Amino acid sequence: MLESINLQSNVAVFAQIENEVRFAIASGQLGAGDKLPTVRAVAEQLDINPNTVAKAYRDLEIMGLVYSRRGMGIFICDNVEAKCQSECYSEIIGKIHEVVAEAKAAGMRDTDVKRITKKCFASDTTPYETPPKAIMALLKK
Amino acid sequence: MLESINLQSNVAVFAQIENEVRFAIASGQLGAGDKLPTVRAVAEQLDINPNTVAKAYRDLEIMGLVYSRRGMGIFICDNVEAKCQSECYSEIIGKIHEVVAEAKAAGMRDTDVKRITKKCFASDTTPYETPPKAIMALLKK
Amino acid sequence: MLESINLQSNVAVFAQIENEVRFAIASGQLGAGDKLPTVRAVAEQLDINPNTVAKAYRDLEIMGLVYSRRGMGIFICDNVEAKCQSECYSEIIGKIHEVVAEAKAAGMRDTDVKRITKKCFASDTTPYETPPKAIMALLKK
Amino acid sequence: MLESINLQSNVAVFAQIENEVRFAIASGQLGAGDKLPTVRAVAEQLDINPNTVAKAYRDLEIMGLVYSRRGMGIFICDNVEAKCQSECYSEIIGKIHEVVAEAKAAGMRDTDVKRITKKCFASDTTPYETPPKAIMALLKK
DNA sequence: GTGGTCTAGACCACA
DNA sequence: GTGGTCTAGACCACC
């Protein structure tokens, strides 16, 4: 589930983890009662600081999406799919607004964006994937 | 030219300035040999520290988009429109990839994204407008 | 690694740091994933302001040679050795062109330049050593 | 004579002018009593501020290479060829030292530098000529 | 007046 | 403790 975390991305690692989980809930891959991988397991798998994972899980708990049972692990709450979906959606819509505005500013046309979007949907790109490296370098947060 | 800089945005001010210039070059508003507004002028107009502007201009120089002549000002390099366009475009395309991948991960459908994109293009949103930050709001409670 | 930085040089300190790193990558002393010394460590070692180091590191990031992970440090990007080598080389070649052209303009002969070059290679001069500034000296009288 | 001045170069314009004259004297293109082009003529030809030219000529006068006769113009002094040569030479030797040291730091070998130098001597590059633009951008003073 | 460089120090986000 | 960003202000080189 965490195969698309990118340590070189400008997006903070903890935020990437949070999003992964939220998107997984929104799309039904994770459902009520499902157990998240342990903090230690994730930290080892991604070779990151356990605190980073812990922070992500804590944030998710604050958002009311997961709950922890001491000694048992961390589990998805009931009835969060809808809430998570609407949150994710409004967030994504916000991002679309932003990128479309930039596209307009750079002189792109409606049809260009449509064409690209279509192609993206067909392909299997993952979020946080580094786009062509040269661009990543230029792209500052 | 700098009317869409947003001091409250999450995007760093210097990065906004860089993008403004790059998009202006990409869309033909700024051409080879054109002089950028002086560091001090921009700083006064936006009421920010001159160093912030200088940093943006310096980055643009490292990127090879502008060159500076001491005592004269800062000017757009020759033959950068195409380069800048392709850079801006690939950057935006990268972002589209990212957001579309997120949308897919969250279970959105092709048609949803298309519909939103269309609406965005019709409206007049500017980049850097803070997108809905439902989660941030939650976290701060 | 930073033993040849010269605070008295005409070359800006931050530029010297950038070059040190770039040459270190080009010559294989620094490889993909290696961690650069921290901003603060370098600043203390050289007794300069941390911002000066930060600027150098940031420039390197814009050039696509390093990436930063907040709280972790700054690391060499993958696959930059070749790029860096060719860049360093073409840069140096450019400088050689320049100095040879000047030598020709001043009436030097092929053999003169060869002889000097040979001697330089044998000696252990470091870059950024202030070259004889006969004219500067004259001007200040 | 001033066809190789490059306004985009990092080298200050006034310094380029000074060097042009000094190298021309060293190589015998300009001799005792020869008249320099007027400040206004140079300024118009290069599209630069007359003050810049005036500063270059003033510096040359301070160095004792030229003298001005009010209303007549500026002329090369007697017996400066040898002096100018030795100055130019030591300056160029300093630069060779610098670039060779950088070449060594970047892992170049003796033979590489020799080969390049030879090729440069054969070609007709002029000083201050912009090397490949991308490099120029990276190359900070 | 222009930009270039550096310092000192603040505050923030992240690990 | 790590880097990121911004401010304030200094001094210099050039035009």
Side-chain angles (χ1 to χ4, degrees), chain C residues 105-106, chain D residues 1 19-31 84 88:
Chain D
M1 189 190 77
N19 285 335
E20 283 285 309
V21 174
R22 290 167 54 225
F23 293 155
I25 296 174
S27 66
Q29 290 171 49
L30 282 178
C84 207
C88 288

Side-chain angles (χ1 to χ4, degrees), chain C residues 27-77:
Chain C
S27 65
Q29 292 170 50
L30 282 177
D34 284 356
K35 185 172 179 299
L36 290 181
T38 70
V39 169
R40 289 163 171 82
V42 174
E44 280 177 15
Q45 185 185 332
L46 301 179
D47 192 27
I48 58 177
N49 187 295
N51 280 336
T52 304
V53 186
K55 183 187 276 188
Y57 281 7
R58 185 177 147 65
D59 286 352
L60 291 169
E61 193 176 4
I62 294 175
M63 294 180 205
L65 300 181
V66 305
Y67 67 94
S68 70
R69 289 180 56 194
R70 286 195 142 165
M72 296 294 292
I74 294 187
F75 304 86
I76 308 292
C77 289

